[in-house]
């Protein structure tokens, strides 16, 4: 896809961080933008920053709910006739040792970070194939998908699943609907609100009575908060995504120590040596 003007993009997790940066970039290119997020007030405020309301639609959506994502797709196709770009970007984080994280922690991250992407694929891809137009799916995983980060195991696991799902989707669409490209965005540390993901934790994943508030989880969440605060700006991710769509490039990775860390893991698999802790400052 080279020409973006008047095309239609849908972005989940668009009220904040990387999602907002992508929505803003698409808007600046003259696209119609559907912004979806679970956090109503933040979504309304974010959408109002894009000035032409005729090109912007905000839809409160919990990506873990298949019916809600179906309704999002229906709303986007009804409002703008078609959809060209879908960014399955919404995501959340919890820290802690894998044996201390609660069942609710596991369920929450699988539901948002994995099923959220699956729901986006299931709701949008059949409609995009039927539309027959050129388009692109961008799934947000993380460098956590391909590095070893102890005490972030639930997050790493969910992002590894997001990466794997995206790789298979890429090959499937190459065979079935080659007009649709796929990219997986694997950010390094980005200055967003990810460390306060608990603000959007629904009651059904209540922390009440669970064991997650341990010193280990607090220490990890503090380290992530500091790492993210020192991270690069989300607008860099929006540029990386835009270029990836233009180039029909699948892996959208940082070109710094994080990529080296991912390579170390590949070598360890090749050599059958044991994992290294590959956190990059
Ligand atoms: N910030 C980083 O360093 C970093 C690194 C790697 C990957 N990522 C990934 O980038 C993506 C965007 O996160 P961010 O860093 O911009 O964080 P963020 O918290 O600033 O934005 C995430 C957005 O997702 C929304 N959200 C949460 N649960 C949702 C749900 N169930 N349904 C719909 N929306 C929901 C939040 O309300 C928020 O607006 C996530 O998938 C995250 O895992 C971030």
């Amino acid at each position: 896809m080279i020409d973006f003007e008047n095309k239609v993009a849908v972005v989940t997790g668009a009220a904040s961080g990387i999602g907002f940066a992508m929505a803003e970039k698409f808007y600046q290119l003259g696209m119609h933008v559907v912004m979806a997020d679970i956090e109503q007030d933040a979504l309304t405020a974010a959408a109002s920053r894009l000035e032409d309301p005729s090109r912007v639609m905000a839809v409160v959506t919990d990506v873990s709910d298949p019916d809600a994502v179906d309704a999002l797709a229906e709303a986007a196709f009804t409002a703008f006739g078609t959809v060209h770009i879908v960014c399955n970007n919404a995501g959340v984080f919890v820290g802690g040792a894998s044996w201390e994280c609660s069942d609710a922690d596991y369920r929450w991250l699988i539901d948002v970070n994995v099923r959220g992407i699956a729901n986006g694929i299931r709701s949008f891809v059949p409609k995009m194939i039927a539309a027959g137009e050129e388009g692109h799916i961008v799934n947000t995983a993380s460098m956590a998908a391909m590095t070893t980060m102890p005490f972030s195991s639930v997050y790493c696991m969910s992002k590894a699943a997001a990466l794997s799902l995206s790789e298979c989707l890429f090959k499937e669409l190459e065979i079935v609907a080659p007009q649709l490209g796929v990219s997986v965005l694997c950010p390094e540390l980005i200055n967003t609100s990810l460390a306060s993901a608990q603000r959007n934790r629904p009651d059904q994943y209540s922390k009440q009575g669970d064991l997650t508030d341990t010193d280990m989880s607090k220490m990890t969440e503090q380290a992530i908060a500091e790492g993210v605060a020192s991270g690069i700006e989300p607008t860099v991710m929006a540029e990386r995504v835009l270029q990836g769509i233009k180039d029909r490039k699948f892996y959208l990775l940082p070109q710094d120590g994080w990529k080296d860390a991912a390579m170390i893991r590949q070598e360890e698999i090749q050599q059958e040596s044991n994992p290294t802790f590959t956190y990059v400052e």
Side-chain angles (χ1 to χ4, degrees), residues 12-19 36-39 42 61-64 88-93 108 112-113 140-144 155 159 185-197 199-200 202 228 234:
T12 70
S16 176
I18 297 169
D37 203 283
I38 197 172
E39 197 174 358
T61 310
D62 178 350
V63 296
S64 72
N88 294 305
N89 166 77
V92 290
F93 177 86
W108 185 37
V112 180
N113 294 0
T140 304
S142 169
M143 288 310 285
Y155 185 72
K159 292 300 184 177
L185 177 67
C186 294
E188 55 274 50
L189 286 169
I190 315 298
N191 185 9
T192 69
S193 301
L194 185 67
S196 61
R199 72 193 186 281
N200 293 315
V228 162

Side-chain angles (χ1 to χ4, degrees), residues 30-250:
M31 297 187 79
H32 296 82
V33 183
V34 180
M35 301 171 69
D37 203 283
I38 197 172
E39 197 174 358
Q40 174 142 29
D41 293 348
L43 180 63
T44 306
S48 70
R49 289 172 63 186
L50 308 185
E51 281 166 7
D52 178 358
S54 72
R55 287 201 288 120
V56 180
M57 185 166 73
V59 183
V60 176
T61 310
D62 178 350
V63 296
S64 72
D65 175 356
D67 293 338
V69 183
D70 268 350
L72 171 67
E74 199 57 46
F77 275 84
T78 302
F80 298 123
T82 189
V83 168
H84 301 92
I85 295 175
V86 176
C87 297
N88 294 305
N89 166 77
V92 290
F93 177 86
V94 292
S98 42
W99 60 90
E100 287 175 345
C101 288
S102 64
D103 179 56
D105 289 332
Y106 278 90
R107 283 190 288 108
W108 185 37
L109 265 70
I110 290 170
D111 283 356
V112 180
N113 294 0
V114 185
R115 290 185 57 246
I117 293 178
N119 289 335
I121 293 169
R122 292 173 51 257
S123 297
F124 282 93
V125 169
K127 287 182 186 308
M128 291 168 80
I129 291 175
E133 292 183 71
E134 223 183 15
H136 209 97
I137 320 294
V138 181
N139 296 333
T140 304
S142 169
M143 288 310 285
M146 43 180 105
T147 53
T148 302
M149 289 169 54
F151 312 111
S152 299
S153 40
V154 185
Y155 185 72
C156 291
M157 170 204 71
S158 72
K159 292 300 184 177
L163 173 62
S164 184
L165 175 58
S166 305
E167 287 168 336
C168 294
L169 176 70
F170 173 84
K171 293 313 286 183
E172 289 164 357
L173 287 177
E174 202 175 54
I175 295 163
V176 175
Q179 73 278 12
L180 298 179
V182 180
S183 297
V184 67
L185 177 67
C186 294
E188 55 274 50
L189 286 169
I190 315 298
N191 185 9
T192 69
S193 301
L194 185 67
S196 61
Q198 301 286 347
R199 72 193 186 281
N200 293 315
R201 186 171 174 133
D203 291 345
Q204 76 207 73
Y205 309 104
S206 169
K207 283 172 78 75
Q208 217 175 17
D210 77 28
L211 295 170
T212 312
D213 273 334
T214 59
D215 288 348
M216 206 84 87
S217 73
K218 285 181 189 151
M219 189 189 70
T220 307
E221 292 188 1
Q222 180 60 29
I224 292 295
E226 286 166 13
V228 162
S230 68
I232 59 173
E233 289 308 306
T235 48
V236 178
M237 292 304 102
E239 287 296 342
R240 194 176 291 167
V241 164
L242 182 64
Q243 199 55 47
I245 295 171
K246 284 181 181 167
D247 296 345
R248 287 183 67 99
K249 188 176 165 196
F250 178 74

